[in-house]
Amino acid sequence: MNERKLGIVFLGRVTVERMLSNLAMIGADSAATSELITDNVTGLLYKNEDIDELAEKLVYLYKDRKKLKELAINGFDFAKKFTEGNASDEIYDMITRLS
């Protein structure tokens, strides 16, 4: 079954992929996303389904390009640990923490 139809992304794969693309992340504070994004360090989190807060975060990064770049760099550095060779250990640790 397509994981997107279920409304989930397995272990935040899309989040990590975007971090590795050197993009600043804004994500809902739920599920794997909040496990991967440290608010105001590797990205920004907003309350799930709160579109006003999401809009505020978008405007904030639009206006503060220095913070945009900082989050992108920090996110990239964080996501590198999920690359080949490191990914299996990180996935195991995450599953263990969530169990």
Side-chain angles (χ1 to χ4, degrees), residues 43-59:
L44 299 176
L45 294 171
Y46 66 94
K47 191 181 316 175
N48 195 28
E49 298 186 18
D50 186 340
I51 61 171
D52 293 328
E53 186 178 6
L54 172 58
E56 289 171 13
K57 304 284 181 169
L58 288 166
V59 170

Side-chain angles (χ1 to χ4, degrees), residues 11-30:
L11 294 176
R13 183 186 73 224
V14 171
T15 302
V16 172
E17 288 172 353
R18 296 305 169 252
M19 286 176 164
L20 288 170
S21 296
N22 215 19
L23 298 172
M25 296 302 304
I26 302 174
D29 190 4
S30 64

